[in-house]
Amino acid sequence: VLLTDDDQIQELNALYRKKDKPTDVLAFAMREGSAPRHPTEPELLGDVIVSIPTARAQARRARREALDEVTMLLAHGLLHLLGWDHDTPAKDRAMRAETARLCAAAEATTRPPSGPRVASQRREARRRKLH
C-alpha cells in the first residue's frame, strides 16, 4: 500500500494506464497473467496506491471523513487485486456492495462502539476514575 500525492499517482497513471491525470486509486495485481508462481515465492496480491489529496477532496464533496474515503479506496483497490472489476453494471453493483461490506468490517474494528448504552458506560467509567 502506498499513500501518495497527486503528482506521483499521475505519473503512475500516465506510465501504466496512458492516462496523464491524477486518479484516486490504482491497483496493480500480481496474479494477472498466466505465468506460474514459483513455490518458494510469497503469495503477493499486488500494490494499491491511493492519492491522499484526491481522497480528501472526494471526502469533502461527499461530506464524510477523509479516513472513510481512504478506507473505501483501499477496499476498492484490494478487490481489484482479487480479480473484481466494475466493467458492467452488474459487476459494478456487486463490487460496490462488497466494498461497502469491507468498509463496514473495517469500521467495526477501528471505531469505538457508540450508542446510549456505550455512552452510559463511558460516563460511569469516568465517574469511577474521579472517585
Side-chain angles (χ1 to χ4, degrees), residues 25-45:
V25 62
L26 292 171
F28 298 105
M30 298 287 285
R31 292 182 172 188
E32 291 179 346
S34 60
R37 185 179 66 83
H38 191 275
T40 61
E41 290 179 1
E43 187 71 30
L44 299 175
L45 292 177

Side-chain angles (χ1 to χ4, degrees), residues 15-86:
L15 180 64
Y16 292 103
R17 298 182 64 229
K18 308 300 182 229
K19 296 183 179 186
D20 193 14
K21 61 182 183 177
T23 188
D24 52 3
V25 62
L26 292 171
F28 298 105
M30 298 287 285
R31 292 182 172 188
E32 291 179 346
S34 60
R37 185 179 66 83
H38 191 275
T40 61
E41 290 179 1
E43 187 71 30
L44 299 175
L45 292 177
D47 302 308
V48 177
I49 298 110
V50 175
S51 169
I52 297 301
T54 297
R56 283 186 182 134
Q58 290 176 177
R60 272 192 305 277
R61 285 192 299 275
R63 291 189 164 95
R64 62 189 205 161
E65 296 291 323
L67 177 60
D68 294 335
E69 186 72 13
V70 170
T71 300
M72 183 277 298
L73 293 170
L74 287 171
H76 181 90
L78 177 62
L79 289 174
H80 275 301
L81 297 185
L82 293 171
W84 290 68
D85 207 347
H86 45 83

Side-chain angles (χ1 to χ4, degrees), residues 86-96:
H86 45 83
D87 55 345
T88 68
K91 287 182 182 179
D92 185 61
R93 281 190 301 278
M95 190 166 182
R96 286 177 186 271

Side-chain angles (χ1 to χ4, degrees), residues 93-128:
R93 281 190 301 278
M95 190 166 182
R96 286 177 186 271
E98 188 64 6
T99 299
R101 190 185 73 76
L102 290 175
C103 290
E107 185 173 331
T109 62
T110 60
R111 303 275 169 126
S114 61
R117 181 171 171 232
V118 173
S120 168
Q121 290 170 345
R122 287 187 185 136
R123 280 193 301 275
E124 179 62 23
R126 282 194 301 272
R127 187 188 65 73
R128 278 183 275 169

